Amino acid sequence: MATSNSPFLSLIIFLSIPLLSHSEPQLSLDYYKATCPDFANIVTETVTTKQIATPTTAAATLRIFFHDCMVDGCDASVLIAPNKFNKVERDNELDHTLPGDGFDVVTRTKTALELACPMTVSCADILAQVARDLVVMVGGPNYPVLLGRKDSLASQLNDVEPNIPQPNMTMDHIINLFESKGFTVHEMVAVVGAHTLGFAHCSEFADRLYHYDKSTPTDPDMNPKYAEALKKFCSNYTKDPTMSAFLDLYTPGKFDNMYYQNLLKGLGLLSTDQMMAEDPRTRPFVERYAANQTAFFVDFAEGMQKMGTIDVKTGDEGNIRRRCDVFNTVRT
Ligand code: HEM
Ligand SMILES: *[C@@H]1O[C@H](CO)[C@@H](O)[C@H](O)[C@H]1NC(C)=O
Ligand SMILES: *[C@@H]1O[C@H](CO)[C@@H](O)[C@H](O)[C@H]1NC(C)=O
Ligand SMILES: *[C@@H]1O[C@H](CO)[C@@H](O)[C@H](O)[C@H]1NC(C)=O
């Protein structure tokens, strides 16, 4: 190299050796700059069309992204469709309610990207970028998305249960689970603010209404009027399992801090949502976000960036899938 006699350059090269061999994944903001320069525009265009036609897409996709990252990292393992070759993540009951519109927006985006730059953009990166664009579209904060994830070569049913939080878990359990993925309690409270969007099936909170404990059928932490309304609304849920209620009672389609304001009034839907307003470890953050939407947006944006880097695969640890719902090696 012409400049190799520069002592500064040699110093930089010398210093960067230990940095490059470090196990931190090599993600970057401009990963597709040369290979797929229209990447960001193509994603935004596809996502906008889909979200306008089907407004539940934002919540659907955000939840799928969360389930992807928590289980073996953000590697599109959640996108593999159930098939006759092996049991995959989506065969686990916890993933049965992942909504079709979230998978659909990824498929549409992948199709558009394959036309523009074939076999170049990973499904894991698509999911991360699509989720961010949708958050912005429904009024949430913008944040940069690092790129360069590879897609997983595996997707296993048994990896789901230990890694996905459930509404009947204790706060200790939930905190441990998030800490095992690198989140502080503070960051955890911020990312669960995603429940400002979307809905939950009655079966996910029915115990709070009808079978709380021996002394009372209904969770005393739930606002009594809200509890009465939900009991009526869900009364037929065993016969009609599709019955669902909004996670944010007042503004379920808007990304805002109303979710935290609700929690302070006993209007949390899932047990774990309401517990965040009761537990002394989490309550201060709930109060802060309820009072200050900017503070919520700043911390949510940081939390989502952290989520997007959980156990990502780079280099030979994965590949670029041709289709997001099928491994490349499988012939159909
Ligand atoms: C304490 C941790 C969490 C628990 C226990 C939990 C549990 C749940 C449950 C049970 C549902 C309802 C699913 C259904 O009935 O169809 C749900 C919905 C949802 N969750 Fe979570 N979740 C947690 C954290 C998160 C995080 C960190 C995110 C994303 C950053 C997230 C995003 C969503 C979204 C957007 C929905 C609505 C989906 C829709 O309307 O299609 N959740 N969650
Ligand atoms: C939570 O409920 C599920 C069934 O919905 C059950 O399999 C699981 O054991 C329960 N977990 C806890 C911690 O109670
Ligand atoms: C309860 O759900 C079943 C199954 O969808 C339906 O046939 C029935 O009419 C519902 N009953 C009420 C009171 O809504
Ligand atoms: C709200 O939070 C932001 C971000 O942390 C901070 O800059 C601002 O001063 C806060 N506003 C109030 C009224 O406390």
Side-chain angles (χ1 to χ4, degrees):
M1 213 189 276
T3 50
S4 61
N5 57 357
S6 152
F8 295 106
L9 190 69
S10 349
L11 185 64
I12 289 165
I13 289 168
F14 174 74
L15 284 174
S16 58
I17 289 166
L19 289 176
L20 284 172
S21 62
H22 192 269
S23 65
E24 281 299 301
Q26 308 286 311
L27 300 182
S28 63
L29 289 173
D30 59 0
Y31 190 81
Y32 297 112
K33 192 176 174 191
T35 54
C36 196
D38 258 351
F39 165 72
N41 292 333
I42 292 170
V43 172
T44 303
E45 215 169 279
T46 316
V47 162
T48 304
T49 308
K50 172 72 183 175
Q51 173 66 15
I52 288 170
T54 317
T56 51
T57 305
T61 311
L62 201 49
R63 183 161 180 246
I64 292 171
F65 180 57
F66 173 54
H67 280 222
D68 187 31
C69 295
M70 292 296 275
V71 181
D72 301 324
C74 312
D75 60 0
S77 54
V78 76
L79 300 178
I80 296 296
N83 60 72
K84 56 183 185 287
F85 303 101
N86 39 25
K87 291 281 177 200
V88 298
E89 290 179 19
R90 284 179 70 185
D91 286 307
N92 188 296
E93 209 182 314
L94 286 173
D95 280 353
H96 283 175
T97 53
L98 292 178
D101 286 310
F103 295 103
D104 182 61
V105 73
V106 171
T107 304
R108 285 165 187 251
T109 308
K110 177 67 170 173
T111 304
L113 285 168
E114 285 302 300
L115 284 174
C117 13
M119 290 303 281
T120 303
V121 182
S122 71
C123 298
D125 279 346
I126 291 174
L127 186 53
Q129 183 91 357
V130 166
R132 192 281 311 277
D133 275 13
L134 285 165
V135 166
V136 173
M137 258 197 96
V138 293
N142 202 344
Y143 55 90
V145 177
L146 287 169
L147 301 165
R149 298 165 190 79
K150 290 284 175 69
D151 296 329
S152 76
L153 305 172
S155 171
Q156 272 154 355
L157 178 150
N158 290 331
D159 292 344
V160 177
E161 172 135 2
N163 291 299
I164 293 296
Q166 288 187 254
N168 60 354
M169 285 176 176
T170 61
M171 191 49 81
D172 281 349
H173 194 161
I174 300 269
I175 288 175
N176 284 340
L177 190 49
F178 276 87
E179 276 180 351
S180 75
K181 306 292 174 184
F183 291 102
T184 63
V185 172
H186 190 166
E187 290 164 337
M188 176 191 87
V189 177
V191 291
V192 182
H195 288 179
T196 180
L197 299 176
F199 61 83
H201 292 82
C202 290
S203 56
E204 300 290 353
F205 52 89
D207 281 353
R208 298 187 71 201
L209 305 175
Y210 309 115
H211 325 102
Y212 182 67
D213 67 16
K214 285 199 182 73
S215 59
T216 172
T218 307
D219 186 345
D221 287 334
M222 186 179 261
N223 178 302
K225 282 188 181 144
Y226 184 47
E228 277 320 303
L230 284 174
K231 278 196 226 183
K232 282 199 193 107
F233 179 75
C234 288
S235 59
N236 199 25
Y237 85 95
T238 50
K239 293 202 188 74
D240 181 358
T242 63
M243 297 296 291
S244 308
F246 292 130
L247 285 158
D248 168 359
L249 176 63
Y250 292 118
T251 56
K254 189 167 183 288
F255 199 101
D256 57 13
N257 68 340
M258 186 65 82
Y259 165 78
Y260 300 102
Q261 296 180 36
N262 291 339
L263 297 186
L264 296 177
K265 298 176 194 141
L267 300 175
L269 187 62
L270 304 177
S271 170
T272 40
D273 291 330
Q274 194 57 49
M275 266 167 12
M276 291 204 307
E278 319 300 330
D279 192 291
R281 291 167 290 184
T282 48
R283 184 172 174 98
F285 305 117
V286 171
E287 286 174 337
R288 176 144 184 266
Y289 298 147
N292 186 340
Q293 177 162 284
T294 307
F296 166 46
F297 277 19
V298 168
D299 292 356
F300 181 81
E302 265 174 37
M304 289 304 288
Q305 289 172 79
K306 177 169 275 191
M307 187 182 292
T309 60
I310 298 175
D311 293 340
V312 300
K313 299 178 173 60
T314 54
D316 293 341
E317 296 165 330
N319 64 11
I320 307 288
R321 273 184 221 147
R322 190 169 285 115
R323 277 177 56 167
C324 292
D325 59 344
V326 186
F327 295 121
N328 289 350
T329 48
V330 175
R331 307 239 149 69
T332 47

